[in-house]
Amino acid sequence: MSRFKFSVGPWNVHEGADSYGPATRSTISFEEKVKKFSELGFSAVQFHDDDAVPNMNDLSEEEIKEEARKVKTILDKYNMAAEFVAPRLWMDPHTIDGGFMSTSKEDREFAMWRAYRSIDIARELGCDKIVLWLAREGTLCAETKSPVWATKKLIEAIDKMLDYDATIKILIEPKPNEPIDRSICGTMGHVMGVSAATKDPSRVGGLLESAHAILAGLDPSHEIGFGLAMGKLWGVHLNDQNGIKFDQDKSFGVENLRQAFNQVKVLLENNYGANGEYVGLDVKAMRTTTDEDSYKHLENSLNMVYALEEKAARFDYEYQKKCVMSRDFEGLEMYVMELLMGLK
Ligand code: XUL
Ligand code: MN
């Protein structure tokens, strides 16, 4: 039995299209995905605003809420919660140069409209978390905007969201790059700095994705640990990433087992989930994956977490203490490797 509750987004079961090629799998309906997620052992769904309400730009505020209520009915049918809503600002023609930090005032206003609507949708779905993955919020051409101005615009935008709803929580999901060149809020440290600068830091925290930390050249378990130490790790996206290249969203633990083990270990040691936080799996199937295997990467990732929870439960803290006292770090390192290889 896992100590965690798991969540997943509809985008984690996708058709396989990427920048270099078209789809390789057929489309699965939202309801079918939710049904399968629940069968696999997930207890919550994550949403972008337009995952819940497609074509929302064409709808009135009331119509958007009405559509969201229909989605809530589907969630209820399968006994699934909604974890968060994230405004998908990077796909829209209004946000070609970013959203909250766009150089266009009109586009910044559009970004706020989507943020407010995301809060409305979250409320209809019964959740109090908004995730900001700040895609396109930065510079492609460094001289186009001041990083000082852009950082302040982000803080301003978050303050407006906090004003709009007195109990909503904002989780920034930091990423150092992709699809833009230089981002404004690249690590958990940045997230904590931005949080502290808002009008209510107690409602602004972070969601750490393993791959994003790796893209920043950092160890995800330390990013997780930093967020936990600040009491502000309110979500995680576990996955894996083979080095500093394009965003891969690989199944959890398949590239770096020791790093994956340490993520699970630090979450367990700090009782992550005690306040209702979920372990999200932001993983994507490979393009070569067939229709029949559309969910295999999710099953594999769940099984990796379960297996690593078992390994963490068997971790010998007495031996660890002994090794640390005698500075036998070589011994401790080999112990971890043997534990992970099944030799212990
Ligand atoms: C992008 C990413 C997103 C966010 C949600 O790298 O991780 O899927 O998790 O917007
Ligand atoms: Mn993510």
Side-chain angles (χ1 to χ4, degrees):
M1 259 305 280
S2 177
R3 282 250 311 267
F4 300 123
K5 287 190 305 177
F6 294 92
S7 63
V8 59
W11 66 89
N12 295 121
V13 175
H14 73 122
E15 293 83 0
D18 64 21
S19 317
Y20 307 102
T24 55
R25 288 181 293 276
S26 35
T27 305
I28 299 173
S29 76
F30 173 73
E31 177 159 354
E32 206 178 313
K33 287 183 188 178
V34 175
K35 181 168 180 280
K36 185 73 179 174
F37 291 158
S38 124
E39 287 165 8
L40 290 174
F42 290 94
S43 45
V45 179
Q46 313 171 347
F47 290 90
H48 294 110
D49 50 0
D50 58 0
D51 288 324
V53 185
N55 305 321
M56 58 186 288
N57 285 352
D58 306 329
L59 304 179
S60 70
E61 294 175 19
E62 262 324 301
E63 286 168 336
I64 290 172
K65 289 186 195 172
E66 216 174 291
E67 289 303 308
R69 283 194 283 274
K70 292 183 195 158
V71 175
K72 176 79 166 90
T73 315
I74 299 177
L75 293 179
D76 290 346
K77 183 169 165 193
Y78 298 99
N79 201 19
M80 295 285 273
E83 183 191 8
F84 66 69
V85 177
R88 197 195 312 258
L89 294 176
W90 53 96
M91 295 290 273
D92 203 279
H94 295 89
T95 52
I96 289 168
D97 186 33
F100 309 124
M101 310 173 195
S102 169
T103 44
S104 148
K105 184 168 179 287
E106 203 187 324
D107 292 355
R108 289 199 301 277
E109 281 165 6
F110 170 79
M112 282 318 301
W113 185 83
R114 288 284 291 254
Y116 296 143
R117 301 295 74 75
S118 295
I119 297 174
D120 292 347
I121 294 169
R123 289 312 188 186
E124 294 297 340
L125 297 180
C127 73
D128 65 354
K129 286 179 179 153
I130 296 297
V131 165
L132 303 180
W133 169 46
L134 299 164
R136 301 204 196 281
E137 302 283 30
T139 58
L140 278 167
C141 169
E143 296 77 14
T144 54
K145 60 183 87 155
S146 148
V148 177
W149 175 87
T151 306
K152 288 184 175 171
K153 282 288 163 214
L154 172 62
I155 295 161
E156 235 175 70
I158 294 174
D159 279 346
K160 286 183 191 164
M161 290 176 227
L162 296 172
D163 277 341
Y164 181 76
D165 182 308
T167 56
I168 203 76
K169 293 195 180 76
I170 310 296
L171 285 63
I172 302 176
E173 181 179 344
K175 189 175 187 181
N177 67 323
E178 264 227 352
I180 47 104
D181 188 348
R182 301 164 195 83
S183 88
I184 291 297
C185 194
T187 68
M188 282 305 263
H190 291 85
V191 172
M192 296 307 135
V194 168
S195 167
T198 63
K199 60 197 307 174
D200 187 358
S202 75
R203 289 198 283 139
V204 185
L207 180 155
L208 191 278
E209 173 165 323
S210 326
H212 297 180
I214 295 164
L215 287 166
L218 298 170
D219 187 313
S221 69
H222 275 222
E223 283 284 269
I224 288 173
F226 187 77
L228 286 166
M230 300 295 161
K232 284 184 187 289
L233 188 79
W234 300 339
V236 288
H237 274 175
L238 300 187
N239 60 12
D240 215 343
Q241 168 78 26
N242 178 18
I244 302 179
K245 51 183 77 160
F246 66 94
D247 190 13
Q248 296 177 311
D249 295 336
K250 289 190 161 203
S251 292
F252 181 55
V254 298
E255 285 297 329
N256 191 331
L257 190 59
R258 185 178 178 188
Q259 204 165 256
F261 169 68
N262 282 318
Q263 290 173 70
V264 171
K265 183 166 163 289
V266 72
L267 290 170
L268 288 172
E269 285 171 352
N270 293 278
N271 211 13
Y272 176 83
N275 303 309
E277 301 91 348
Y278 292 92
V279 167
L281 296 173
D282 199 357
V283 294
K284 297 246 173 69
M286 295 178 218
R287 194 156 179 270
T288 43
T289 300
T290 59
D291 278 331
E292 298 72 53
D293 288 339
S294 287
Y295 297 87
K296 208 172 199 171
H297 60 301
L298 287 170
E299 292 181 78
N300 290 347
S301 297
L302 283 169
N303 287 332
M304 287 299 295
V305 179
Y306 301 152
L308 291 172
E309 279 184 78
E310 264 176 41
K311 293 288 179 191
R314 291 190 20 221
F315 184 76
D316 186 344
Y317 285 91
E318 280 309 310
Y319 183 68
Q320 182 243 15
K321 211 184 290 166
K322 234 174 73 190
C323 288
V324 172
M325 295 295 283
S326 60
R327 293 274 163 86
D328 184 11
F329 294 3
E330 307 287 355
L332 179 58
E333 181 163 82
M334 198 56 197
Y335 162 72
V336 173
M337 299 320 291
E338 286 180 351
L339 180 70
L340 293 177
M341 288 190 288
L343 304 173
K344 281 275 175 212

